[in-house]
Amino acid sequence: MLFDNYEKIKYTIGNKEVTISDIFRNISFKDVELSNAFYDYYIEDGETPELVSIKIYGTSSYSWLILLVNSIADRKNDWFESQEHFTRKRDLNYGGDAFYFSALPDLTVGDIMIKATGVSGNNATGVTANIYRHIADFDPMLRKVRGIEGTGVFAANDNVVFARKQSNGLVDPITFDNQAETPVETDYTNILFIEPYIESVQYFYTSSNVVLNPYRAGTTGYNVDTNTTYTDATPGITGNNFARTILYKYGICGGVGYAGANKFEIGTDLFNKYTDKQKIKVLRPEYLSSVVTLIKTAIDSDEVGKTFKILI
């Protein structure tokens, strides 16, 4: 590996002295995209830097060079992973369902969403303890909650209560403002729409790729204040009504884009970032010997932060 070529220094950690590589003599490549000394390589499913090195240079000994050229310091997170590993990590970190609401309380991860059995005025009169989800994530701007685990089935228009476990072990409902023209305190709200979290909205955009405010009343309309909790279907006197927004219409229309607003999904963003890592740059084999010699010379020097720019 590259660090094997670095000089060693003594470093004290606590009461223990350890020997480490002097990484302050770091080196990097500049303008790799502009040099003909490198070419594009697409990592195959499950391929490691060592396997790429064998394929290009006939030995695994230059895996460090491949990582160095592409500025990959953390191969666990920055190297193109296998499809199986990506899918497993995606399902673990982005599983569950997305629940959309007209308004949300001030949530924290670990709160619970429970189905209400009945409501009276501004309060829930009871809950169904066996229909619930743990809140793994939430987006106040999109009024979206990621619910995982739990039991039972939720449906659009169900009333729900958000609850939080207290230090005494009791679970108490979280109150918040959620009413039509005049917001008042309540402890329940209703679900507008449910979809798999991986398919949920990251943002809305137009056909010309302009990102839209989800609180916009159509693609040509005005923006509604993000703190507005008005939810009645009839616009108020001010016209500042959440029920007219792209986000609300998306929910009540069952996940269909509204007024020219397209949905960019969480899963699409994840997959794009995943495939972006597949393309790397590799040094052409005919330049290997001279470049490696240059790197080792730089490591042996006392210069800190050496940058290489190979113009061919």
Side-chain angles (χ1 to χ4, degrees):
M1 294 299 291
L2 175 63
F3 290 154
D4 293 337
N5 298 305
Y6 280 61
E7 287 189 7
K8 300 298 186 285
I9 58 175
K10 299 290 186 180
Y11 192 79
T12 301
I13 302 177
N15 297 322
K16 185 177 181 180
E17 186 178 74
V18 296
T19 301
I20 62 175
S21 298
D22 183 8
I23 60 173
F24 291 104
R25 301 186 182 190
N26 64 301
I27 57 178
S28 60
F29 285 87
K30 182 180 179 182
D31 296 337
V32 171
E33 293 286 343
L34 304 178
S35 173
N36 289 326
F38 304 89
Y39 66 93
D40 293 338
Y41 180 86
Y42 289 86
I43 304 168
E44 295 183 6
D45 188 44
E47 238 179 5
T48 64
E50 289 74 23
L51 289 176
V52 174
S53 178
I54 291 173
K55 184 181 292 186
I56 303 299
Y57 307 118
T59 173
S60 63
S61 300
Y62 297 107
S63 58
W64 60 266
L65 179 62
I66 293 168
L67 297 173
L68 184 64
V69 166
N70 293 280
S71 301
I72 297 176
D74 183 359
R75 60 182 286 170
K76 179 179 179 181
N77 295 306
D78 296 336
W79 182 260
F80 180 70
E81 57 195 342
S82 68
Q83 177 72 41
E84 180 183 0
H85 187 266
F86 166 74
T87 302
R88 185 168 61 249
K89 187 169 68 173
R90 181 200 63 190
D91 293 345
L92 176 64
N93 296 319
Y94 298 90
D97 292 314
F99 299 83
Y100 296 87
F101 299 91
S102 294
L104 287 175
D106 185 13
L107 296 171
T108 62
V109 172
D111 288 339
I112 305 169
M113 184 179 76
I114 312 169
K115 182 176 179 178
T117 55
V119 297
S120 177
N122 299 317
N123 298 102
T125 57
V127 297
T128 303
N130 61 349
I131 302 180
Y132 69 95
R133 295 290 187 277
H134 294 284
I135 297 174
D137 199 4
F138 57 92
D139 187 334
M141 182 67 174
L142 290 173
R143 296 183 182 179
K144 180 179 68 172
V145 169
R146 178 188 168 210
I148 62 171
E149 300 173 339
T151 60
V153 178
F154 284 96
N157 296 318
D158 280 350
N159 288 312
V160 300
V161 172
F162 294 101
R164 180 171 300 158
K165 188 174 183 179
Q166 306 301 319
S167 58
N168 59 8
L170 297 178
V171 177
D172 295 331
I174 306 172
T175 57
F176 58 101
D177 288 340
N178 178 29
Q179 188 63 17
E181 289 303 317
T182 305
V184 296
E185 189 175 77
T186 182
D187 62 4
Y188 76 92
T189 187
N190 73 306
I191 300 173
L192 293 178
F193 181 58
I194 308 171
E195 64 184 347
Y197 185 76
I198 197 68
E199 299 174 8
S200 67
V201 177
Q202 177 143 318
Y203 59 82
F204 293 101
Y205 66 98
T206 67
S207 57
S208 54
N209 291 321
V210 175
V211 176
L212 292 166
N213 184 335
Y215 286 81
R216 194 171 182 83
T219 54
T220 59
Y222 53 83
N223 291 332
V224 173
D225 189 334
T226 58
N227 293 319
T228 300
T229 54
Y230 306 154
T231 59
D232 66 323
T234 304
I237 296 175
T238 63
N240 194 23
N241 191 293
F242 180 67
R244 303 177 70 183
T245 64
I246 292 170
L247 179 59
Y248 184 84
K249 294 293 187 181
Y250 172 80
I252 64 171
C253 291
V256 178
Y258 168 69
N262 302 298
K263 176 180 72 168
F264 187 81
E265 298 182 359
I266 291 281
T268 301
D269 184 47
L270 288 174
F271 187 74
N272 287 347
K273 290 178 179 177
Y274 166 64
T275 54
D276 282 347
K277 297 178 183 178
Q278 187 175 17
K279 177 184 174 182
I280 61 173
K281 286 287 186 178
V282 295
L283 179 70
R284 296 184 186 278
E286 57 264 36
Y287 302 118
L288 178 64
S289 179
S290 58
V291 170
V292 169
T293 299
L294 186 63
I295 291 173
K296 289 183 177 181
T297 300
I299 292 174
D300 290 337
S301 74
D302 292 327
E303 186 174 350
V304 176
K306 188 73 174 180
T307 300
F308 294 106
K309 184 174 182 179
I310 302 175
L311 299 177
I312 297 176

